[in-house]
Amino acid sequence: MSLYRDFLTRTRAAFSDASYNDIRRALHAAVRSLAGQKRYDGTPFVFHSVKTAQIVADEIGLGRNSVVATLLHDVARTGLMSPEQIGREYGPQCEAIVRGLNNISEVDPKTSTLQADNFRELIVSYSTDPRVILIKMADRLEVMRALESFPELKRNKKSWETLNLYSQLAHKLGLYAVKSEMEDLSLKYLEPKEYDHIVRKLSEGAGERERFIAGFVQPVEERLRALGIRYKLKSRTKSVYSIWRKMRKQKVPFEEVYDLFAIRIIIDCPPAEEKMQCWSVYSVVTDFYTPNPDRMRDWISIPKSNGYESLHTTVVTPEGRWVEVQIRTRRMDEVAERGVAAHWRYKGVGGGGLGSEQWLARLRELVETASATETIAERFDLALSSREVFVFTPTGDLRKLPEGATLLDFAFDIHSNLGAMCTGGKVNGRNVSMRERLRNGDVVEIATSRSQRPKAGWLDVVVTSKAKAKIRQILREDEARNAQLGREELERKVKNWKLPLTIEEAVTALSKHYKIKTGFEVYALISEQRVPMAEVKEVLARYAENGGAAAPEIQPRRTKTEGEAASSKGDDCLVIDETLKNVDYKLARCCNPIYGDPVFGFVTIHNGITIHRTDCPNAARLREQYPYRVLSARWRATSSSGAFRATIRVQGDDVPGLAGRVTDLISQELKLNIRSMSFGAQRGVMEGQLSIEVTSAHAVDMVLYKLKKVNGVTRAFRVN
């Protein structure tokens, strides 16, 4: 494959023949051992090992042992080759690196803001060789480059870890290029809209920046050439994350971030002349442009603790535009790009550099210093958008919630049933109520009780639309359940009191007396025992005695017609006519019932009663979940004169004129109105869908019968 060929080509150019042969042998072993294993995008899993090894060699600059260990790490981690076997075939250093990588792989950063610093220290403590940590940085960088193929939850979790754990460790190691790319890729998935906005703005201004840089460096380059200074010029655009962070911190738009790029002058000179030539270049730059003394940074005289050396200054052009200029030598630039790996390689163990133990001790000191001076919480609260927080489940899954989200929001985000039974929980091991507002990096655990049910006050606790919608749904279902219990209680009482009232008349009387609008509210009063039953009896008795005269606007009891009585099977059976003019019902859109179809009624919360066909796709679910809201119903046993909409689907051979024969049959022969139609053909099969007006289900049956006799039609059926 091209990936393998490219990797081996680069390796041959960078390593000796003996090292190249060992790396090639390790590559073949990895490909053979990991055959059949796939990544999320379907590519071979071994691609991850190869791409990581390429970063280790090309971008971090490690040697033969590191590359071999990187190729075989996943082989050893999955148990397909033991570290001892790797040691026997490739040497003890490869074995030690693989063991260190395996130890770090077992660390799962299920972190809160309180645990993040410990995680960094744990990675260092598990490393017995400096190269282990550098390889781990390469491994995470490769994962971030391939993150598009991961599931969304994993993308969020790995981006959070990378931004708050790995990029900070890369910064302390001096791996600035790796750190910047990690931050940008993390922002791409955590804040995609703002990331895209900054990228677009940078792209729009690229041409203007190039012209400005060319004019800025022209006099400087002429002077450097006249002085005989050998140099190389680079222009570096500020990283997307750095721009975004500055916009957040200073609360300014993109247009007000002025230091979008830096000019880097890299000098090629002997080590003994480094300081002198850097200051000479500084003198040249400041001859043409005025420096800002507050932005002067001398890391040549006193390098940073991670080995970084450079001279930084910010100057202003005559037009008033600020530009950052970085001055360093070629050696300093490589250390700046590759961090401690380059520093270690330049001086070497025993060659004036630090030994492995001293190096690791120094690294631990750097991590501890970072923990003391900048906590994860401080960095993270600034880094992320004020509109969102990222929190962890106890198993380490990352969830994204809007700012102000509470523990109850988190519970509903995990699962609706978990939210409905929530009684409180723990945040970072501390017991809290469901009202606890969550912060970035919190680890949240939910406590539940089977007896718990959502209450109306919960709507004031949550901020997410998902939680609000589910709470409202459960409240409506509870209301309907209470209404059913209240109805049954009222029916029993009216019967026991021997009052000459139907249930509808009883509801009418109570609605008027208590000044409420719906029967549901009447039933809730009774089921929740908010009114004494003695008072209810008195109201109904007075209404019955006066025949409804006490409330003229309330219609008295209506006697059923013979047709209704004959059609009814019990007091709760709805008798409806084909035009639905005499009752407050609606036809369900999910099945479009037609006069003559077997039907039933379903009591909705806010829209009255809907009429469904008994073979409706939703019928089984409604009967199973809400049996107390299902009512028997049938059409009035009279001839129909109304018009219903029915949808017919026709399938047949793709032959000329078939669609015309179908429409002629319906409109000309059967005299039915076609409201809409569509026809299409694919692979020799014609399919059409027609919406027609009919008077009853019998008329639909007649249409289907006639259609099936049309030459070329293979199938005709009614659809919902």
Side-chain angles (χ1 to χ4, degrees):
M1 289 188 176
S2 59
L3 175 65
Y4 304 149
R5 286 196 299 270
D6 182 57
F7 173 73
L8 290 174
T9 299
R10 293 188 183 199
T11 303
R12 180 180 285 279
F15 292 90
S16 67
D17 290 343
S19 295
Y20 167 75
N21 290 332
D22 287 340
I23 292 171
R24 184 179 61 177
R25 189 157 51 91
L27 172 63
H28 291 162
V31 172
R32 183 173 60 253
S33 300
L34 298 174
Q37 298 189 37
K38 303 289 185 182
R39 303 187 83 176
Y40 287 105
D41 60 356
T43 58
F45 183 70
V46 73
F47 279 14
H48 167 66
S49 301
V50 177
K51 291 178 179 179
T52 303
Q54 198 157 304
I55 295 172
V56 166
D58 294 348
E59 299 180 44
I60 297 182
L62 296 180
R64 173 261 190 197
N65 293 326
S66 299
V67 175
V68 168
T70 304
L71 289 170
L72 298 177
H73 163 49
D74 285 320
V75 178
R77 182 177 58 82
T78 54
L80 300 173
M81 183 182 289
S82 68
E84 293 82 2
Q85 185 178 353
I86 293 173
R88 287 194 298 271
E89 295 190 25
Y90 299 96
Q93 288 195 48
C94 292
E95 178 183 351
I97 294 172
V98 167
R99 288 188 183 277
L101 291 170
N102 287 349
N103 287 337
I104 292 180
S105 296
E106 295 173 1
V107 181
D108 187 4
K110 300 171 183 176
T111 58
S112 71
T113 54
L114 303 175
Q115 298 167 325
D117 293 323
N118 293 335
F119 171 78
R120 291 189 314 217
E121 293 176 18
L122 192 60
I123 286 183
V124 175
S125 67
Y126 272 18
S127 305
T128 57
D129 189 301
R131 291 167 290 189
V132 172
I133 302 176
L134 298 173
I135 294 170
K136 185 60 183 177
M137 295 298 104
D139 179 277
R140 176 49 62 116
L141 179 59
E142 197 288 323
V143 167
M144 293 303 296
R145 288 176 177 176
L147 204 58
E148 184 66 38
S149 64
F150 283 62
E152 183 178 1
L153 280 179
K154 282 191 173 290
R155 289 201 298 265
N156 287 340
K157 181 174 184 288
K158 290 189 179 296
S159 296
W160 193 97
E161 292 171 0
T162 301
L163 181 62
N164 290 276
L165 305 175
Y166 291 98
S167 70
Q168 291 191 60
L169 195 51
H171 175 77
K172 290 303 170 184
L173 293 171
L175 299 169
Y176 293 118
V178 171
K179 170 216 176 225
S180 293
E181 187 174 355
M182 282 182 173
E183 288 175 336
D184 282 1
L185 290 171
S186 298
L187 187 68
K188 178 180 179 181
Y189 295 102
L190 294 176
E191 298 284 357
K193 290 183 180 179
E194 300 193 34
Y195 175 87
D196 291 340
H197 169 73
I198 295 172
V199 169
R200 185 173 64 255
K201 288 288 187 180
L202 287 173
S203 176
E204 290 171 355
E208 189 277 332
R209 285 196 303 276
E210 289 177 3
R211 288 190 294 273
F212 173 80
I213 291 170
F216 178 88
V217 301
Q218 181 181 356
V220 175
E221 286 193 283
E222 290 176 356
R223 179 71 61 82
L224 292 177
R225 284 195 292 268
L227 293 173
I229 295 176
R230 291 183 297 172
Y231 70 95
K232 179 180 176 183
L233 206 70
K234 287 183 182 179
S235 64
R236 179 190 61 85
T237 302
K238 201 177 188 74
S239 72
V240 177
Y241 175 79
S242 296
I243 296 171
W244 181 82
R245 183 174 169 86
K246 192 162 193 174
M247 290 167 60
R248 287 284 171 191
K249 189 172 184 178
Q250 298 182 358
K251 295 181 172 57
V252 296
F254 176 88
E255 290 73 17
E256 294 184 27
V257 179
Y258 298 113
D259 55 340
L260 291 176
F261 59 89
I263 306 297
R264 185 174 297 165
I265 302 173
I266 303 169
I267 307 165
D268 188 2
C269 68
E273 300 178 11
E274 286 183 339
K275 288 185 182 181
M276 180 188 69
Q277 291 212 20
C278 285
W279 284 108
S280 296
V281 172
Y282 173 82
S283 178
V284 169
V285 173
T286 54
D287 281 346
F288 292 102
Y289 304 106
T290 304
N292 181 347
D294 294 333
R295 298 294 301 273
M296 174 67 184
R297 301 290 184 270
D298 178 10
W299 286 306
I300 293 179
S301 302
I302 305 176
K304 285 187 176 183
S305 57
N306 56 21
Y308 180 83
E309 297 174 84
S310 188
L311 196 59
H312 291 196
T313 185
T314 301
V315 299
V316 63
T317 66
E319 298 80 19
R321 190 163 180 177
W322 291 99
V323 180
E324 181 183 350
V325 180
Q326 301 173 357
I327 303 166
R328 62 181 67 155
T329 65
R330 189 162 57 88
R331 178 192 63 80
M332 295 175 185
D333 186 61
E334 187 166 357
V335 171
E337 292 296 320
R338 295 183 172 180
V340 293
H343 190 75
W344 188 33
R345 189 176 69 255
Y346 260 101
K347 295 189 176 181
V349 177
L354 297 176
S356 293
E357 292 184 5
Q358 293 172 300
W359 192 95
L360 285 168
R362 183 60 178 153
L363 178 57
R364 291 190 184 97
E365 181 183 338
L366 289 174
V367 171
E368 290 167 4
T369 303
S371 302
T373 59
E374 181 186 33
T375 66
I376 290 290
E378 290 171 347
R379 173 187 170 89
F380 198 56
D381 281 343
L382 175 65
L384 285 183
S385 167
S386 60
R387 296 187 300 273
E388 291 173 337
V389 293
F390 290 75
V391 294
F392 288 93
T393 68
T395 57
D397 291 331
L398 190 69
R399 315 294 290 204
K400 181 162 64 173
L401 297 169
E403 183 190 28
T406 62
L407 182 136
L408 188 57
D409 282 301
F410 176 85
F412 275 103
D413 187 68
I414 298 296
H415 197 281
S416 296
N417 291 339
L418 188 68
M421 295 188 295
C422 177
T423 58
K426 293 183 178 181
V427 173
N428 302 327
R430 176 173 54 91
N431 290 322
V432 297
S433 73
M434 64 176 66
R435 296 176 178 270
E436 178 77 8
R437 291 182 63 173
L438 303 179
R439 294 173 57 85
N440 285 308
D442 283 344
V443 176
V444 186
E445 186 176 354
I446 302 300
T448 61
S449 170
R450 291 186 178 275
S451 62
Q452 179 73 295
R453 293 291 292 176
K455 303 169 182 62
W458 286 21
L459 292 171
D460 298 326
V461 176
V462 297
V463 299
T464 59
S465 56
K466 177 181 179 180
K468 287 182 181 292
K470 188 61 182 178
I471 291 170
R472 289 193 183 103
Q473 177 189 338
I474 296 173
L475 291 176
R476 287 196 298 267
E477 291 173 357
D478 288 348
E479 180 184 346
R481 189 178 298 107
N482 288 338
Q484 178 67 15
L485 295 174
R487 177 187 173 94
E488 293 172 356
E489 177 69 10
L490 183 58
E491 286 179 325
R492 282 195 300 271
K493 292 298 183 183
V494 170
K495 185 176 181 180
N496 292 340
W497 293 333
K498 295 182 171 50
L499 296 175
L501 298 173
T502 64
I503 186 65
E504 289 79 11
E505 290 170 333
V507 170
T508 301
L510 294 172
S511 297
K512 185 64 179 178
H513 178 79
Y514 291 109
K515 295 181 173 54
I516 52 183
K517 295 181 179 180
T518 67
F520 276 139
E521 293 176 277
V522 172
Y523 299 145
L525 283 176
I526 295 172
S527 65
E528 296 171 11
Q529 300 179 352
R530 286 187 277 148
V531 292
M533 294 308 294
E535 182 180 304
V536 172
K537 180 179 180 181
E538 182 181 349
V539 172
L540 295 182
R542 189 183 309 119
Y543 182 88
E545 289 173 4
N546 296 330
E553 68 277 13
I554 300 176
Q555 294 297 320
R557 178 171 52 179
R558 181 175 64 86
T559 305
K560 291 184 179 181
T561 65
E562 289 185 9
E564 290 174 333
S567 301
S568 176
K569 291 185 178 180
D571 293 338
D572 286 337
C573 186
L574 304 176
V575 180
I576 56 179
D577 66 14
E578 70 282 0
T579 60
L580 301 179
K581 290 180 180 177
N582 297 333
V583 287
D584 186 19
Y585 306 135
K586 294 181 181 178
L587 297 178
R589 293 185 178 181
C590 54
C591 56
N592 294 321
I594 294 174
Y595 177 78
D597 283 335
V599 293
F600 67 92
F602 182 77
V603 181
T604 65
I605 301 300
H606 298 294
N607 298 318
I609 299 173
T610 56
I611 306 302
H612 295 259
R613 284 163 39 192
T614 55
D615 62 346
C616 171
N618 295 318
R621 179 180 62 84
L622 296 178
R623 292 181 184 278
E624 179 181 350
Q625 295 185 8
Y626 312 104
Y628 51 87
R629 293 162 65 182
V630 174
L631 303 175
S632 299
R634 58 178 62 232
W635 301 93
R636 184 196 299 274
T638 58
S639 61
S640 134
S641 59
F644 295 88
R645 188 77 63 91
T647 303
I648 302 296
R649 186 167 294 168
V650 182
Q651 294 176 347
D653 301 326
D654 184 15
V655 295
L658 182 58
R661 292 197 293 273
V662 169
T663 55
D664 286 346
L665 168 70
I666 295 173
S667 60
Q668 302 298 325
E669 182 178 340
L670 298 177
K671 308 296 183 184
L672 297 176
N673 189 19
I674 300 176
R675 304 298 296 178
S676 66
M677 63 180 177
S678 63
F679 289 91
Q682 188 175 12
R683 296 179 181 177
V685 177
M686 184 277 291
E687 185 166 334
Q689 185 162 301
L690 304 97
S691 178
I692 62 176
E693 286 186 352
V694 295
T695 56
S696 66
H698 175 73
V700 177
D701 294 338
M702 177 59 70
V703 172
L704 296 176
Y705 174 76
K706 292 280 190 180
L707 284 173
K708 291 175 183 177
K709 290 188 173 295
V710 173
N711 187 27
V713 173
T714 57
R715 192 174 176 217
F717 54 94
R718 177 182 172 189
V719 297
N720 293 328

